[in-house]
Amino acid sequence: MNQDLAERVARNPILRPQDLRPSAPGFEITCLLNPGVFQFDHKTWLVVRVAERPVQMPGKTSFPVLTPWGGMEILEFNSSDPRLDLSDPRVISYDGRDYLTTLSHLRLLSSDDGVSFRELEPPQRLVGNGELEAFGIEDCRVARIDETYCLTYTQVSSHGVGVGLRTTRDWKTFVHEGMIFPPHNKDCALFEERIGGKYFALHRPSSPELGGNYIWLAESPDLIHWGRHRCVALTRENCWDSARVGAGASPIRTEEGWLEIYHGATSENRYCLGALLLHLNQPWRVLARSGEPIMEPLAPYEQEGFLGQVIFTNGQVVEGDRLTIYYGAADSVICAARMSIASIIGSLAAVKGATA
Ligand code: MAN
């Protein structure tokens, strides 16, 4: 049964790779996706992920990596080399080693109406920095805690995939706090309020042998040191979220509990959205969860692209009952859709044994 609750913006996709300029000559923006979202200076802002690579030459597969001294290096393979595995458009495997096909950085765009976004002049870019970000930075979530904006994002390098934290108050100067969740971990969403005096974060470690790709909760006295880890949401066999689940943007406080929009994917990489309702004072208790997706790839721009059948969100705006989610569609373009928070909560199935 199709329970898609999203009203897609008529102008979708609201941003495409050709809407921005590549950051270097000879480069192409391959994908523009997965924006973090925040309100600042009476405007809506996106921190978009710009995934780039050199314009590809026939017979060659080339991709950029960042060097420790702040430059960039292009690596190149012969596409016919039998040691090369290009079966996943996102990953280059060569002789058992993995690289990414594109290098991502983040760019700031702003809007007065939440639909038409413009880049700053000159563009403001956040780029990978140091050994742990040599393959780029991706999928930034923005949480506003008191007067500080906290950016949690994916740090990628040959050492693995982890979660980095940068903070800012003015979007001009940033404090680099380094890696807060080591590999393999991503999809870190901070709660924007303390609970019982502690900071809380949803995050997604991956455990390839025992376990899987599950959503966990951690707490911290200072946003840097995280502990009391608890697993809050597993994947579900034969379901739309059977292979991986991961948090979207910061949980939304409602009277019924914290509402968290999350993505779930199958092993065929079909990504849909669902929701979790967490207890207000004990957020490790899941009260309710989507049985069916609240949004699934239905529009042509969600079904076809760099990686088709993908809806992935890590940014949203809440105005009363109206939730505007910003999302990457088919890992290629940026879209927006609106949903009623009450109807999301109304669509959830109570989790057995959970009491509010
Ligand atoms: C996965 C995908 C890619 C991403 C890498 C590293 O392969 O989500 O888009 O670049 O992980 O995070």
Side-chain angles (χ1 to χ4, degrees), residues 33 49 88 90-91 100 138-139 154 156 161 186 271 331:
L33 67 169
R49 170 178 170 195
D88 184 326
R90 302 169 296 182
V91 183
L100 296 181
E138 309 173 344
D139 303 351
T154 305
V156 197
V161 175
K186 47 167 56 173
Y271 282 71
D331 269 6

Side-chain angles (χ1 to χ4, degrees), residues 6-325:
E7 187 193 316
R8 287 152 178 83
V9 164
R11 280 215 10 221
N12 276 350
I14 59 170
L15 285 165
R16 297 158 306 161
Q18 57 267 41
D19 297 334
L20 300 186
R21 270 203 302 277
S23 46
F27 269 49
E28 62 170 30
I29 298 179
T30 316
C31 320
L32 201 61
L33 67 169
N34 307 357
V37 183
F38 62 98
Q39 308 276 333
F40 177 71
D41 204 12
H42 308 292
K43 290 188 171 66
T44 302
W45 293 75
L46 302 182
V47 191
V48 303
R49 170 178 170 195
V50 181
E52 297 178 305
R53 65 181 168 197
V55 174
Q56 299 292 289
M57 294 303 165
K60 305 277 184 203
T61 296
S62 62
F63 58 95
V65 297
L66 299 174
T67 58
W69 44 92
M72 192 188 279
E73 193 184 352
I74 309 291
L75 305 183
E76 189 179 85
F77 297 117
N78 280 322
S79 301
S80 58
D81 191 323
R83 286 166 291 187
L84 198 60
D85 175 0
L86 300 174
S87 54
D88 184 326
R90 302 169 296 182
V91 183
I92 294 173
S93 290
Y94 185 79
D95 222 6
R97 288 184 80 105
D98 285 345
Y99 306 90
L100 296 181
T101 48
T102 58
L103 176 70
S104 293
H105 68 272
L106 307 173
R107 272 195 224 179
L108 291 180
L109 279 78
S110 72
S111 170
D112 292 320
D113 64 4
V115 177
S116 320
F117 283 88
R118 263 180 301 111
E119 215 177 339
L120 301 180
E121 233 1 285
Q124 189 174 351
R125 309 191 317 141
L126 304 177
V127 298
N129 183 274
E131 201 184 348
L132 299 181
E133 300 180 354
F135 292 0
I137 56 176
E138 309 173 344
D139 303 351
C140 182
R141 279 121 177 121
V142 182
R144 186 174 164 171
I145 302 179
D146 305 327
E147 294 308 305
T148 303
Y149 293 90
C150 302
L151 288 69
T152 51
Y153 59 92
T154 305
Q155 303 177 297
V156 197
S157 74
S158 58
H159 302 336
V161 175
V163 177
L165 172 68
R166 298 184 191 183
T167 63
T168 185
R169 284 176 167 237
D170 58 7
W171 291 95
K172 291 194 178 91
T173 51
F174 293 82
V175 178
H176 290 225
E177 300 288 8
M179 191 176 269
I180 55 169
F181 290 104
H184 186 286
N185 205 315
K186 47 167 56 173
D187 302 324
C188 175
L190 300 176
F191 285 64
E192 294 184 301
E193 290 172 34
R194 295 171 193 77
I195 302 168
K198 294 279 171 31
Y199 297 102
F200 279 83
L202 295 166
H203 63 111
R204 209 286 301 283
S206 293
S207 180
E209 281 138 20
L210 264 180
N213 301 295
Y214 308 148
I215 299 175
W216 289 62
L217 181 81
E219 55 180 80
S220 169
D222 57 7
L223 294 169
I224 314 285
H225 303 90
W226 293 92
R228 294 237 167 99
H229 296 277
R230 294 167 163 108
C231 186
V232 296
L234 304 176
T235 49
R236 297 176 292 190
E237 239 175 275
N238 301 320
C239 224
W240 56 276
D241 52 4
S242 59
R244 52 187 65 238
V245 287
S250 293
I252 304 161
R253 177 190 259 286
T254 73
E255 280 173 15
E256 288 84 355
W258 295 101
L259 181 68
E260 175 62 21
I261 311 298
Y262 74 94
H263 67 265
T266 59
S267 51
E268 291 81 42
N269 287 324
R270 183 170 190 267
Y271 282 71
C272 298
L273 301 183
L276 293 169
L277 190 66
L278 308 174
H279 190 284
L280 278 181
N281 302 321
Q282 298 175 330
W284 51 90
R285 289 171 54 193
V286 181
L287 305 176
R289 180 172 176 176
S290 298
E292 298 298 320
I294 56 170
M295 187 172 180
E296 53 185 321
L298 297 175
Y301 48 80
E302 296 161 356
Q303 291 183 330
E304 275 162 51
F306 187 73
L307 188 73
Q309 303 288 346
V310 172
I311 291 182
F312 184 99
T313 188
N314 47 296
Q316 68 202 9
V317 172
V318 178
E319 295 150 296
D321 180 56
R322 188 168 83 161
L323 172 67
T324 306
I325 66 154

